[in-house]
Structure formats: structure tokens, C-alpha cells
Amino acid sequence: MNFGKLLHFLNYTDRSYYDVYIPSKTAIKTEYVNNKKTDIQYILRIYENSILIAFRGTDSVKDMMSNMQFFKTTVRNMPGGKKIRIHRGFFKAYTEAKIFDKVAKYITDKTKRIEITGHSYGGALALICAADLAHRFPDIDYEVVVFGTPRTGNKAFAEFFDAHLPNTSRIENRGDIITKLPPPVFGYRHVGKTYRIGSPRIPFFYSFKEHSVCSYRQKIFK
């Protein structure tokens, strides 16, 4: 993956934790959305022909509670009938925060490209958002880059996602335990192209320390 592009997405993902905007002379609008009901935060940057969305990862007890709801829920507004199923906690948070409604109001006939990124829980929200947008606005060019993201849906979701969002990169620190959850035995599958960073680890030896954005930045710059 191109280093400059990787850094572009990483910077937005990093800043989503601190409500810090990257200066832009070309953006029409930059908004830091903080939905207090769901405790979901994300940067929304609008350009004349494109949109960028960067989701913040886990940083509260409410986020942790969403992470723990790992049973799957059926998504009925996507092709596939009852086959597409997504992590219940992630999907509930996404729908309750009305993220689609917030983003969709900025999509116009001029919108040609949407970039979506996030870390950890924010990466899972990024994947759900990308799938939702790609289903409803299929003619837009999407690029998705996520860091340290847990598995988000079942095999049917992964198949739908990879077919509609082929330009998706999943950056995985080899020591990051969150990227191994929920385990495949529960029917979960990863999506996109996987790029692993960091030194090879002892099998089944992972840590939460390797999950931080700081750790990802250090490994990428090595």
C-alpha cells in the first residue's frame, strides 16, 4: 500500500481521538460529530466532490459495552435476505447514532468519492458505514482503510463487502489481540485486503498494548 496514502488515513484516525482537525484550504466544511447518546465520535470532512469520514475507537465504558455485545443481528436492508449478519453491539450503535442520515445529507450529484477510516471499534463502524453507503449509493468510488479492527460480520457480510468495496485495506499489527476477535468459531470473518505490520509474534501470544493507535504509528514508521 502507498505509504503517503496510508499516512493520510492514519492521521485522520489518530485525530479522531482528540477532536483535532487537519487544516484544509479545499474543504467546504469540517465537523466533529459527538453523539452523546451512543458516545460515537467521528470527523466528517466535506469537499466539493468527495467526503471523508474518520471514526474514533473505544474510549469509554459505553463503547466497551457495545464491544461486548458480540452476538450477531440480521441486516434486512441489504441484499442477501437473512444471510447478512453483523455484530449486534456495533450495528446497534451505528443505527442509533443515525450515521447514515448524517452523511447522506451531504451526498449530492457532485459526490464522486468517499473515504472512510477508523481504528478499533471505530474501524468496525467504518466498515458498517461503508457497506451501508455502498449499497445505497453504488455509483460512488469508495476507499476504506481501517486499523486494528475486530471482525464485524459473518461470511455473507464479508462476501457482500468485498464485492461492493474492493478498495478496502485492513492494517493489522501482528501482536494486536483485538484483530483476532470475535473468533471465527462464532461465524465472524474479516473483510478487505490485509496488510500486517510489526515483527512476527509467538503464535497465540497477543496483547492489548499492541492495539493502541500509538503502537500502529510506531510500527508503520519503522
Side-chain angles (χ1 to χ4, degrees), residues 82-136:
K82 297 180 180 180
K83 294 182 179 180
I84 294 180
R85 307 189 72 208
I86 295 176
H87 185 290
R88 181 181 299 173
F90 299 155
F91 187 70
K92 181 181 178 182
Y94 172 78
T95 54
E96 287 186 351
K98 298 182 179 179
I99 293 171
F100 172 81
D101 295 338
K102 183 72 173 179
V103 177
K105 72 178 184 180
Y106 292 113
I107 297 177
T108 68
D109 293 339
K110 292 183 178 181
T111 306
K112 305 301 180 185
R113 177 178 171 83
I114 296 180
E115 297 179 335
I116 308 174
T117 189
H119 166 256
S120 185
Y121 171 47
L125 293 173
L127 298 181
I128 296 172
C129 180
D132 196 9
L133 291 173
H135 167 54
R136 306 199 208 194

Side-chain angles (χ1 to χ4, degrees), residues 173-180 199-210:
N173 189 346
R174 286 185 173 89
D176 183 355
I177 190 172
I178 299 301
T179 62
K180 309 301 183 287
S199 303
R201 308 284 293 193
I202 299 172
F204 307 109
F205 185 78
Y206 308 107
S207 73
F208 287 101
K209 181 180 179 181
E210 299 291 348

